[in-house]
Amino acid sequence: MSIVGSGSALAKQQDQWQATQEAHVTQGPLTTEAGAPVADNQNSETAGIGGPVLVQDQLLLEKLAHFNRERIPERVVHARGAGAYGTFTVTADVTRYTRAGFLSEVGKQTETFLRFSTVAGNLGAADAVRDPRGFALKFYTEEGNYDLVGNNTPVFFIKDAIKFPDFIHTQKRDPYTGSQEADNVWDFWGLSPESTHQVTWLFGDRGIPASYRHMNGYGSHTYQWNNEAGEVFWVKYHFKTDQGIENLTQQEANRLAGEDPDSHQRDLREAIERGEFPSWTVQVQIMPAADAATYRFNPFDLTKVWPHADYPPITIGKLELNRNPENIFAEVEQSIFSPAHFVPGIGPSPDKMLQGRLFAYGDAHRYRVGINADHLPVNRPHATEARTHARDGFLYDGRHKGAKNYEPNSFGGPFQTDRPLWQSTAVAGGTGDHPAPVHAEDDDFVQAGTLYRLMSEDEKERLIGNLAGFIAKVSRDDIAERAIGNFRRADDDFGKRLEAAVQALRG
């Protein structure tokens, strides 16, 4: 039985972890950072009564210097977030598909940490805005941490990471005006028709969830699972909220964002404090590797879904959030997630967005938090021990003591296993700046049109109104017309109604 093999073992592990954290909070005299007792924390030292402050008052200088450095660079994207700890419980046997240890038996539980976020807003932005929501989940498994970095939508705006900086620049503040500009947003989306599917999601009813508890999560990318026999399967993850889907209209969100900018963060924290632990039913779509080459859509295109009729979702587990962080900065702001954090039995796919993120996420954390970010309590493995030869760097804690820092060595150091975490993927052809392969039914509009036609008449009306309200702010007719044209190509009725709504608003 593994360290996380049962509910009682997991509870014991979590109690020990909590005790370790609480041990750092002690009673007694206030001290300096170096441990010396503080005699007076109310008055700075001066040259006589009413005189100038002395440079020898090291408590004052220490406090001011620390205060100036209390913040680290915020995330460029997903800056605004909230998080909680929880458990993942396996409810179905998936060993025929993957050899991942945390999925090895029904009933097995693994500790998790889930961070929710908005994408475009900065750290001080409001929660109730029209924006995708990040759904970044860390599994503290006995084979190392596994990070699943997704969103509350099953698709994304672009399919190649080389376009990501350009896309995010359009969502952030304009370098001249200092504000988000409709011209920039719709110019990019109009010139990038692959975004049509995600934009239809974003401006539909699910574009503004009522809370983090009342939305689904998705792995979004396609990942590899491989079993003990070395067989390969492609998978997509779905986290279906057990609280039910609840959303805000644009008008409700506008009011809430002004009245309570912290609405989603507060809702999550208070629900857990009340013992109303939010949960999600975890499902996967599974595609045998041999299906990929001839599937009607490119299965590694992040702007596409796999229709459920083709690959029905299979329920495999339950995710529950049941413990709030003790310190938001230490455990939410400094938490790091990387899609490159795999465990045996799980690996990447040729998804070009995923391939770019395998580098970009880790690089962002090394810059933002530091080279030893993985050593922080929220980020380091909880169910096993990290054994590496990496040493030194900012905030290195000396954990390796005098052990040798190279491999191979003859002094009992950690050694390689000779078994890769995932199976290799066959490739062919010359190197070059290749677009993604096109499959039989691939285009940038077919799934956006399908999504539109699945909506009720009321949902369509709200979608049209949300889109028209934003497009009407565009200053140039050609940018607005091109944007509308993409929705017309998805569905003729969609385009006609949107054009009429924009014209009515623009006069």
Side-chain angles (χ1 to χ4, degrees):
M1 182 66 69
S2 73
I3 193 170
V4 290
S6 69
S8 59
L10 180 61
K12 182 179 180 181
Q13 176 195 345
Q14 290 176 330
D15 289 344
Q16 291 172 340
W17 181 256
Q18 189 70 14
T20 300
Q21 297 297 93
E22 291 173 352
H24 294 288
V25 182
T26 58
Q27 301 297 315
L30 180 69
T31 74
T32 66
E33 295 288 348
V38 172
D40 188 343
N41 193 46
Q42 316 305 317
N43 305 289
S44 54
E45 189 174 351
T46 61
I49 298 175
V53 172
L54 299 178
V55 73
Q56 73 180 35
D57 189 343
Q58 289 302 295
L59 176 64
L60 170 66
L61 301 187
E62 179 181 89
K63 289 179 68 176
L64 294 179
H66 190 284
F67 180 78
N68 287 342
R69 293 162 176 81
E70 281 183 356
R71 297 296 174 261
I72 59 177
E74 69 175 45
R75 291 165 169 88
V76 177
V77 289
H78 298 279
R80 173 70 178 173
Y85 295 92
T87 55
F88 168 75
T89 305
V90 179
T91 60
D93 183 2
V94 293
T95 54
R96 61 175 291 197
Y97 303 113
T98 178
R99 58 189 174 94
F102 77 101
L103 296 171
S104 62
E105 58 182 293
V106 174
K108 188 167 187 176
Q109 289 190 327
T110 299
E111 184 187 5
T112 63
F113 183 75
L114 176 57
R115 184 179 186 271
F116 303 98
S117 57
T118 52
V119 174
N122 58 25
L123 193 57
D127 289 336
V129 295
R130 187 172 301 281
D131 201 9
R133 299 303 192 274
F135 195 96
L137 181 61
K138 186 182 299 293
F139 298 85
Y140 299 101
T141 91
E142 70 269 36
E143 296 176 301
N145 290 350
Y146 172 47
D147 290 352
L148 187 60
V149 182
N151 285 322
N152 71 326
T153 60
V155 293
F156 197 61
F157 300 92
I158 53 177
K159 63 182 72 175
D160 194 316
I162 202 168
K163 298 181 69 170
F164 189 75
D166 301 290
F167 163 60
I168 293 300
H169 287 165
T170 72
Q171 307 298 301
K172 292 289 189 175
R173 298 179 185 276
D174 181 87
Y176 174 70
T177 67
S179 302
Q180 187 191 60
E181 296 296 334
D183 281 7
N184 301 353
V185 173
W186 287 107
D187 189 34
F188 181 87
W189 284 346
L191 292 168
S192 304
E194 69 210 62
S195 67
T196 307
H197 190 192
Q198 170 73 328
V199 174
T200 303
W201 269 89
L202 180 60
F203 284 83
D205 284 354
R206 297 193 184 188
I208 315 179
S211 79
Y212 291 133
R213 297 181 297 128
H214 294 93
M215 69 181 196
N216 291 342
Y218 301 89
S220 301
H221 295 289
T222 298
Y223 293 93
Q224 183 198 110
W225 275 9
N226 59 91
N227 62 19
E228 287 289 352
E231 297 175 296
V232 170
F233 303 87
W234 302 117
V235 300
K236 283 185 175 291
Y237 295 90
H238 303 252
F239 296 78
K240 298 302 183 70
T241 175
D242 295 326
Q243 290 69 239
I245 295 288
E246 293 183 15
N247 306 299
L248 300 172
T249 65
Q250 188 66 63
Q251 293 72 27
E252 291 170 334
N254 291 344
R255 176 187 57 77
L256 184 59
E259 293 178 353
D260 184 8
D262 301 325
S263 57
H264 288 32
Q265 178 174 312
R266 178 177 291 105
D267 173 86
L268 177 66
R269 184 187 71 249
E270 292 181 349
I272 294 174
E273 288 174 345
R274 292 192 304 269
E276 297 176 11
F277 300 145
S279 65
W280 287 260
T281 297
V282 184
Q283 300 177 331
V284 291
Q285 289 178 283
I286 299 177
M287 175 187 292
D291 290 8
T294 56
Y295 185 50
R296 57 194 179 116
F297 302 113
N298 180 350
F300 311 117
D301 180 349
L302 185 56
T303 68
K304 302 288 195 307
V305 297
W306 302 352
H308 291 185
D310 296 346
Y311 296 96
I314 301 168
T315 297
I316 67 163
K318 182 74 70 174
L319 173 68
E320 178 186 86
L321 300 182
N322 47 40
R323 180 163 64 90
N324 283 318
E326 293 295 323
N327 184 281
I328 296 298
F329 180 80
E331 300 168 82
V332 179
E333 184 65 11
Q334 290 193 127
S335 65
I336 65 172
F337 301 83
S338 171
H341 290 170
F342 292 112
V343 292
I346 303 178
S349 78
D351 177 339
K352 296 184 78 174
M353 272 298 296
L354 174 60
Q355 291 285 318
R357 283 173 165 159
L358 296 178
F359 161 76
Y361 276 63
D363 187 59
H365 303 320
R366 285 185 286 271
Y367 158 73
R368 193 179 66 86
V369 186
I371 194 63
N372 287 306
D374 285 299
H375 293 186
L376 296 173
V378 69
N379 299 322
R380 67 186 181 223
H382 290 189
T384 186
E385 178 187 3
R387 294 178 292 275
T388 77
H389 295 293
R391 299 288 192 275
D392 307 337
F394 185 61
L395 293 182
Y396 175 61
D397 59 8
R399 65 183 54 200
H400 300 90
K401 298 183 172 59
K404 303 298 182 184
N405 62 342
Y406 59 89
E407 195 280 331
N409 71 53
S410 303
F411 298 89
F415 50 87
Q416 66 187 39
T417 66
D418 295 321
R419 187 177 188 187
L421 304 186
W422 60 84
Q423 296 297 109
S424 63
T425 302
V427 296
T431 61
D433 299 326
H434 302 299
V438 177
H439 288 226
E441 297 183 32
D442 273 342
D443 69 34
D444 292 327
F445 310 104
V446 59
Q447 292 198 356
T450 299
L451 178 59
Y452 175 78
R453 290 185 290 275
L454 286 172
M455 294 180 181
S456 68
E457 185 59 31
D458 287 345
E459 289 173 321
K460 289 178 181 178
E461 284 290 339
R462 289 190 292 271
L463 170 65
I464 296 296
N466 293 334
L467 284 168
F470 196 10
I471 296 176
K473 297 177 181 178
V474 172
S475 65
R476 285 175 44 179
D477 289 343
D478 61 320
I479 293 176
E481 289 167 1
R482 184 167 54 232
I484 294 168
N486 286 340
F487 296 106
R488 183 180 293 109
R489 294 178 68 180
D491 184 276
D492 189 58
D493 177 70
F494 192 178
K496 286 180 178 178
R497 292 170 65 172
L498 180 57
E499 181 179 29
V502 171
Q503 288 177 348
L505 291 172
R506 289 166 72 95

